Amino acid sequence: MKSSRTSGTKRAAKSTPVSKPRHPAPTLAALRAEIHALAEPERGDHSQRFFKTGPGQYGEGDKFLGLTVPQMRVLVRKYRDLDDASALRLLSSSWHEERSIALLLLVQGYERGDETRRDRIHRAYLANTTRINNWDLVDASAGQIVGAHLDASDIALLKRLAKSKSLWERRIAIVSTFYFIRRDEFRPTLEIAELLLGDSEDLIHKAVGWMLREVGKRDRRALDRFLEKHYARMPRTMLRYAIERHPEGTRKRYLAGTI
């Protein structure tokens, strides 16, 4: 009898479910602590020069902690469940890397979210473009949050942004069209590129040329039709970027104006 009771007790113990340890919800304070623990001032100084943060430059006044992109992406994976309100508070930071991480978290939130969450993130993004104030921040987020929220047949928002006084909103307008390029829809890119042909900023010239080159990777004839119509008045940098994958002889003729 004793051995029978023992056996029954063991069977009962085996059937008792074991609760899994609960992980605490991620917090903004914990994320910020990890970000600052990774700071490397020397790398931060280099980043400030690379991203043109001096007086009169496009990134004037921006501050860098000195994190690498891989370090930031590790933190984004770790804190992927941070709530959107906390990510938006992080976006208001004066530190560039904190804003970068905030945007990457919002991109993940948009991609994982339902329609209501996506609309909320899209609207918050557009309300905070003053914080999306360098080319890397735009390039890592515009297509995924702005382009992805639009239909290729209705790009009124992008046209409005393309006419903005803000350099960064104009860059958002053209880079957002990368979302459509990847789906072989080129009209949005070509229309926004045409609006930006006369832009005075080199960062816009580069972004437009980059998007045109991406169109050409998928449809060379579509790119060439655009170039034949506009190449003579395209800024030199924009043209060079757009024709980067053309044969050398063709590039030279475009640059010489003999096409």
Side-chain angles (χ1 to χ4, degrees), residues 85-120:
S86 294
L88 287 168
R89 287 198 296 274
L90 192 63
L91 185 59
S92 68
S93 172
S94 61
W95 293 107
H96 186 98
E97 291 92 341
E98 291 195 334
R99 298 198 304 283
S100 182
I101 289 169
L103 288 167
L104 292 174
L105 287 169
L106 290 171
V107 166
Q108 284 205 356
Y110 185 94
E111 291 173 348
R112 297 163 57 203
D114 58 16
E115 185 176 351
T116 299
R117 186 183 184 190
R118 290 182 175 189
D119 189 63
R120 185 172 62 244

Side-chain angles (χ1 to χ4, degrees), residues 182-233:
R182 287 169 168 160
R183 286 153 181 79
D184 292 328
E185 297 176 294
F186 308 125
R187 187 183 63 83
T189 301
L190 301 178
E191 289 191 13
I192 300 303
E194 188 170 5
L195 288 175
L196 294 171
L197 286 176
D199 202 282
S200 61
E201 293 286 350
D202 186 62
L203 283 175
I204 299 300
H205 303 167
K206 291 176 179 177
V208 172
W210 168 30
M211 290 298 104
L212 290 173
R213 185 178 71 232
E214 292 299 323
V215 169
K217 287 180 181 179
R218 293 160 174 80
D219 189 337
R220 175 62 63 81
R221 286 182 295 178
L223 172 58
D224 285 344
R225 285 193 297 269
F226 182 91
L227 292 174
E228 288 166 10
K229 184 177 180 180
H230 298 295
Y231 85 93
R233 65 188 185 100

Side-chain angles (χ1 to χ4, degrees), residues 234-246:
M234 289 172 69
R236 201 72 163 178
T237 298
M238 185 187 297
L239 179 59
R240 286 185 182 277
Y241 271 57
I243 63 175
E244 195 172 83
R245 294 173 67 90
H246 280 64

